[in-house]
């Protein structure tokens, strides 16, 4: 159950519509929820609210939310079933059928950690800031067509933004990919902050393998497949204080311990993913990740992280290997790829001149594919 809190104004006036030009949330739909007088409540009840005109509904919200006293202001999700599959073999295809219904699905497990096959290099699909527009669907289809072994989603899944039924629309729309390809993901601001979700809808629908990696929090974890060690973090959406603080953050402590245990002979490639980027020369979301960067960039550099993947900015940008804004062959390549087609539209404005650390940038829609051939060669 989640509280109805349509906090994002783009639900009312989307730059890119998901409903053929209509808003994602109409005034009539919102008024239907807020108008508790239709329940027959007496005006003396603190749960009573009369909405005379549908256009008045948005102004009747309580700090962006249905008032807590409103018995209609809560969304009950359909049943969510989670099954843990054990004893799966790597690079093996499995077919499954939900007990209700007669549709069958199939997926192929990714390679075991440390495995390298010259004829079948590991392919990691990468996308972020997805949403439920026609563009979102097209990007999903493109990513599926690239036949990734694992899909990495860099936060901001459904853009439900407090209108929780959109989570079900997202699940249905993205079923072709998510029912057939192993997926890892991290939360973004649209999972944590927008809609006052605090990650609840995301955590229940897309749980990550945190316990298997020794994490005590579902927000951060690591996973190994093929020659790659993947570290997923909430980044700016959880405390990031490092070892110099009186009380280092759990996120930092987990990342430090996890990276110290990486066996580069088994997984020579180390990828870190978090939503808000450190290296971003777009006007949109510029500098939002600075605190996280100040706290943790040295840690990633010390452990030789190869690639940092982020979303948040609705455009594409790739850096040269960089550390503290200077070109450094030992630094990580930072990739911002938050352009999978959500309703907020693309981020078109760039800071000029283009920074020296920025190798390429473009306001476009799409996804990425990282192909890892061996311990020394990978292609983006």
């Amino acid at each position: 159950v989640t509280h109805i809190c349509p906090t994002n104004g783009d639900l009312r006036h989307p730059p890119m519509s998901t409903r053929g030009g209509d808003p994602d949330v109409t005034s009539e739909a919102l008024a239907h929820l807020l108008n508790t007088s239709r329940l027959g409540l007496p005006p003396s009840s603190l749960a009573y609210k009369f909405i005379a005109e549908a256009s008045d509904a948005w102004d009747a919200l309580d700090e962006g939310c249905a008032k807590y006293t409103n018995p209609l202001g809560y969304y009950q999700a359909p049943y969510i079933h989670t099954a843990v599959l054990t004893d799966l073999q790597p690079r093996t295809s499995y077919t499954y059928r939900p007990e209700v219904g007669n549709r069958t699905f199939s997926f192929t497990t990714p390679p075991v950690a440390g495995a390298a096959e010259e004829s079948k290099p590991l392919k990691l699909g990468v996308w972020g800031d997805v949403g439920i527009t026609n563009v979102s669907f097209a990007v999903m289809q493109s990513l599926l067509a690239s036949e990734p072994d694992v899909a990495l989603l860099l936060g901001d899944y459904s853009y439900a933004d407090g209108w929780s039924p959109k989570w079900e629309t997202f699940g249905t729309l993205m079923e072709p990919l998510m029912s057939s390809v192993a997926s890892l993901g991290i939360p973004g601001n649209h999972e944590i902050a927008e809609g006052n979700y605090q990650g609840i809808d995301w955590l229940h629908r897309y749980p990550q393998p945190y316990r298997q990696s020794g994490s005590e929090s579902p927000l951060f974890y690591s996973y190994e497949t093929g020659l790659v060690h993947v570290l997923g973090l909430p980044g700016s959406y959880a405390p990031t204080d490092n070892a110099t603080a009186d009380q280092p953050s759990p996120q930092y402590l987990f990342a430090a311990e996890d990276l110290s245990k990486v066996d580069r002979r088994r997984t020579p490639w180390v990828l870190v993913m978090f939503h808000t980027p450190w290296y971003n020369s777009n006007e949109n979301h510029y500098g939002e990740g600075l605190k996280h960067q100040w706290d943790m960039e040295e840690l990633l550099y010390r452990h030789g992280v190869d690639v940092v993947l982020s979303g948040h900015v609705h455009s594409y940008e790739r850096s040269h290997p960089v550390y503290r804004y200077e070109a450094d062959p030992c630094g990580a390549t930072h990739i911002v790829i938050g352009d999978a087609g959500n309703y907020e539209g693309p981020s078109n404005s760039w800071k000029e001149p283009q920074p020296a650390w920025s190798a390429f940038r473009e306001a476009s829609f799409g996804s990425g594919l990282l192909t890892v051939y061996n311990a020394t060669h990978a292609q983006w």
Side-chain angles (χ1 to χ4, degrees), residues 71-366:
L72 302 174
Y74 300 90
Y75 176 70
Q76 175 69 62
Y79 286 108
I80 299 172
H81 300 281
T82 301
V84 178
L85 306 181
T86 60
D87 300 322
L88 299 180
Q89 299 302 307
R91 294 282 198 192
T92 303
S93 295
Y94 293 89
T95 299
Y96 64 100
R97 180 176 64 84
E99 186 172 340
V100 177
N102 55 13
R103 294 193 303 158
T104 59
F105 304 89
S106 61
F107 67 94
T108 300
T109 51
V112 69
E117 299 180 46
E118 186 175 343
S119 61
K120 294 181 66 176
L122 175 69
K123 296 197 294 184
L124 300 176
V126 185
W127 60 332
D129 299 74
V130 183
I132 56 173
T133 69
N134 289 339
V135 176
S136 311
F137 185 71
V139 170
M140 180 275 293
Q141 289 180 307
S142 175
L143 182 57
L144 181 61
S146 68
E147 300 182 335
D149 295 292
V150 180
L152 307 178
L153 205 165
L154 306 175
D156 288 0
Y157 285 54
S158 69
Y159 281 75
D161 292 344
W163 196 258
S164 293
K166 290 179 66 179
W167 277 104
E168 322 315 342
T169 304
F170 176 81
T172 301
L173 195 67
M174 300 304 158
E175 183 182 81
L177 175 71
M178 291 187 154
S179 65
S180 60
V181 176
S183 297
L184 296 172
I186 50 173
N189 56 300
H190 287 265
E191 281 75 55
I192 301 294
E194 286 291 353
N196 295 337
Y197 275 131
Q198 300 298 310
I200 295 299
D201 272 345
W202 173 77
L203 286 169
H204 285 288
R205 288 171 175 81
Y206 301 101
Q208 302 303 310
Y210 71 98
R211 291 189 180 93
Q212 295 92 322
S213 59
S215 171
E216 296 179 351
S217 168
L219 297 180
F220 42 82
Y221 63 92
S222 65
Y223 183 84
E224 293 185 335
T225 179
L227 301 178
V228 176
H229 181 97
V230 179
L231 173 60
L233 300 172
S236 298
Y237 306 110
T240 60
D241 299 301
N242 61 24
T244 65
D246 292 336
Q247 185 173 345
S249 66
Q251 177 178 194
Y252 177 86
L253 292 174
F254 175 79
E257 182 178 5
D258 182 77
L259 290 172
S260 71
K261 294 179 179 179
V262 175
D263 183 351
R264 302 301 280 255
R265 294 167 299 180
R266 183 174 68 168
T267 53
W269 294 90
V270 177
L271 276 62
V272 176
M273 55 182 185
F274 48 80
H275 185 63
T276 297
W278 294 346
Y279 288 91
N280 162 40
S281 65
N282 197 282
E283 295 282 359
N284 202 22
H285 301 306
Y286 182 76
E288 286 185 15
L290 275 177
K291 174 65 164 62
H292 181 209
Q293 181 179 7
W294 292 342
D295 286 337
M296 297 184 69
E297 187 173 19
E298 188 276 332
L299 175 69
L300 272 57
Y301 182 78
R302 179 167 19 110
H303 288 285
V305 169
D306 299 289
V307 180
V308 174
L309 301 169
S310 299
H312 199 41
V313 182
H314 303 164
S315 60
Y316 171 70
E317 186 164 20
R318 173 177 50 83
S319 79
H320 297 289
V322 61
Y323 178 57
R324 293 181 176 173
Y325 299 98
E326 298 290 339
D328 189 322
C330 297
T333 296
H334 290 252
I335 296 173
V336 180
I337 187 166
D339 52 357
N342 69 82
Y343 71 168
E344 290 183 342
S347 300
N348 296 314
S349 299
W350 299 96
K351 289 189 172 292
E352 299 294 347
Q354 183 173 355
W357 53 259
S358 176
F360 183 83
R361 59 187 190 177
E362 179 180 73
S364 60
F365 296 116

